[in-house]
C-alpha cells in the first residue's frame, strides 16, 4: 500500500504477518493505537525507548509482574543520570496500607551511599512511626552506627513535657546499658525506683555529692528487723572510716 495522503483500512479483523523478518511501523508524527483491550505477546525481550514515558490506568487494579525461574533474574526500577532528579513512589490511597513494600520469603535492604550534607535516609510522618519485629531471637531490632570515631546515635523528643516523654520499657526482661562512659544530665529530678534490690558497684570511687547549699543526702532504711544500715570500711587493717562534719549528731 503506497499513499501520499491518509490511508484507512476498515475490517472485522486485520492480520499482519512478517514471518521471521522484521516488521516496522514508522512515522514522524504521532502513532495512536485505540482498542478495547491491547495484548502484546513476545517470546523475547520487549524494549521501549522514548524521550518521555507515561503509563496511566484508571478504574481497575493494575500490576507489573516479573516471574523468575532462576537466580539473578532481578527486576530493576531505576533513575539513571547524575542530576538533581528523584525517583518517586507515591500513593493517594486512604487505607492504613496505602503504600506497601512487602516480601514473603526474603529480606528488604535500604542502602544510601551519599556522603554530602542531607544525603541521608529520612523517614517523616505526621502520624506515629511504629517499628515492630516478631523474630524470636537476639538483636530482633538492631540500631547501629559504624562510621567512625565522631559518630553518635541520638533519640530526641522535641516537645514532650511529661515525665515519660522518652520511655524505655521491657515487660518481662531487663534493660542492659553497656558503655565506656555513662552520663545522666537533668535540669530537674532524677528518680530511680526499684521493686526489689538496687545495687551500685564501682571498680574505683563511688561519689554521692550535692552542689547546692540547700542540698542534703539522706540514707534511710525501713527495715524493721536485723541489720538496717551497714557501713563497712574493714577491707584491710589500714582502712579508715572518715566522717567530717561541722556538727555531728548521732
Amino acid at each position: 500500500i503506497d499513499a501520499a495522503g491518509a490511508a484507512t483500512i476498515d475490517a472485522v479483523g486485520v492480520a499482519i504477518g512478517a514471518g521471521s523478518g522484521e516488521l516496522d511501523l514508522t512515522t514522524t508524527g504521532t502513532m495512536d493505537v485505540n482498542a478495547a483491550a491491547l495484548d502484546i505477546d513476545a517470546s523475547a525481550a520487549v524494549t521501549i525507548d522514548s524521550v518521555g514515558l507515561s503509563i496511566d490506568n484508571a478504574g481497575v487494579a493494575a500490576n507489573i509482574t516479573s516471574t523468575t525461574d532462576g537466580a539473578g533474574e532481578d527486576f530493576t526500577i531505576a533513575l539513571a543520570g547524575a542530576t538533581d532528579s528523584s525517583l518517586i513512589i507515591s500513593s493517594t490511597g486512604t487505607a492504613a496500607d496505602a503504600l506497601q513494600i512487602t516480601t514473603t520469603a526474603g529480606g528488604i535492604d535500604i542502602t544510601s551511599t551519599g556522603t554530602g550534607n542531607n544525603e541521608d535516609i529520612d523517614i517523616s510522618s505526621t502520624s506515629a512511626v511504629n517499628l515492630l519485629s516478631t523474630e524470636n531471637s537476639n538483636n530482633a531490632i538492631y540500631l547501629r552506627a559504624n562510621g567512625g570515631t565522631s559518630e553518635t546515635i541520638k533519640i530526641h523528643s522535641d516537645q514532650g513535657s511529661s515525665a515519660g516523654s522518652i520511655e524505655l520499657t521491657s515487660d518481662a526482661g531487663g534493660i542492659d546499658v553497656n558503655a565506656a562512659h555513662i552520663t545522666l544530665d537533668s535540669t530537674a529530678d532524677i528518680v530511680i525506683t526499684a521493686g526489689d534490690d538496687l545495687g551500685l558497684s564501682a571498680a574505683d570511687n563511688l561519689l554521692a555529692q550535692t552542689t547546692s547549699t540547700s542540698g542534703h543526702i539522706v540514707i534511710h532504711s525501713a527495715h524493721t528487723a536485723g541489720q538496717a544500715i551497714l557501713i563497712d570500711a574493714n577491707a584491710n587493717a589500714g582502712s579508715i572510716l572518715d566522717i567530717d562534719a561541722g556538727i555531728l549528731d548521732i
Side-chain angles (χ1 to χ4, degrees):
I1 300 173
D2 295 320
T8 302
I9 301 175
D10 292 320
V12 175
V14 175
I16 301 175
S20 60
E22 184 174 307
L23 176 63
D24 290 331
L25 299 177
T26 304
T27 178
T28 58
T30 299
M31 179 177 291
D32 188 7
V33 179
N34 297 302
L38 179 62
D39 186 6
I40 300 175
D41 296 316
S43 59
V46 174
T47 302
I48 300 175
D49 296 317
S50 67
V51 176
L53 176 63
S54 176
I55 301 175
D56 299 309
N57 174 72
V60 295
N63 69 282
I64 300 175
T65 302
S66 174
T67 303
T68 69
D69 58 6
E73 296 177 359
D74 298 331
F75 183 39
T76 302
I77 300 175
L79 174 70
T83 62
D84 186 3
S85 304
S86 301
L87 176 62
I88 300 172
I89 301 175
S90 66
S91 171
T92 59
T94 58
D97 58 350
L99 180 62
Q100 297 185 42
I101 301 176
T102 304
T103 65
T104 57
I108 296 177
D109 290 336
I110 300 175
T111 304
S112 174
T113 58
T115 58
N117 292 333
N118 300 320
E119 293 181 353
D120 308 317
I121 295 178
D122 297 324
I123 301 175
S124 300
S125 174
T126 58
S127 186
V129 176
N130 299 309
L131 182 63
L132 172 66
S133 171
T134 59
E135 184 179 28
N136 185 18
S137 68
N138 291 331
N139 298 327
I141 295 178
Y142 184 25
L143 181 63
R144 181 187 183 191
N146 188 28
T149 57
S150 297
E151 68 191 18
T152 62
I153 295 178
K154 186 174 184 179
I155 301 175
H156 185 189
S157 174
D158 274 328
Q159 301 183 48
S161 58
S162 68
S165 63
I166 295 179
E167 181 177 344
L168 299 177
T169 302
S170 177
D171 288 333
I175 296 177
D176 187 9
V177 179
N178 300 305
H181 306 281
I182 296 177
T183 301
L184 298 177
D185 295 319
S186 174
T187 58
D189 299 336
I190 295 178
V191 179
I192 301 175
T193 302
D196 202 349
D197 297 339
L198 175 63
L200 296 176
S201 176
D204 203 350
N205 297 327
L206 180 62
L207 174 67
Q209 177 181 346
T210 65
T211 58
S212 70
T213 56
S214 60
H216 64 282
I217 297 175
V218 177
I219 301 176
H220 175 76
S221 173
H223 191 55
T224 58
Q227 189 179 78
I229 296 176
L230 171 65
I231 300 176
D232 185 351
N234 194 29
N236 188 275
S239 298
I240 299 173
L241 175 62
D242 189 2
I243 300 175
D244 293 327
I247 299 174
L248 179 62
D249 186 1
I250 300 177

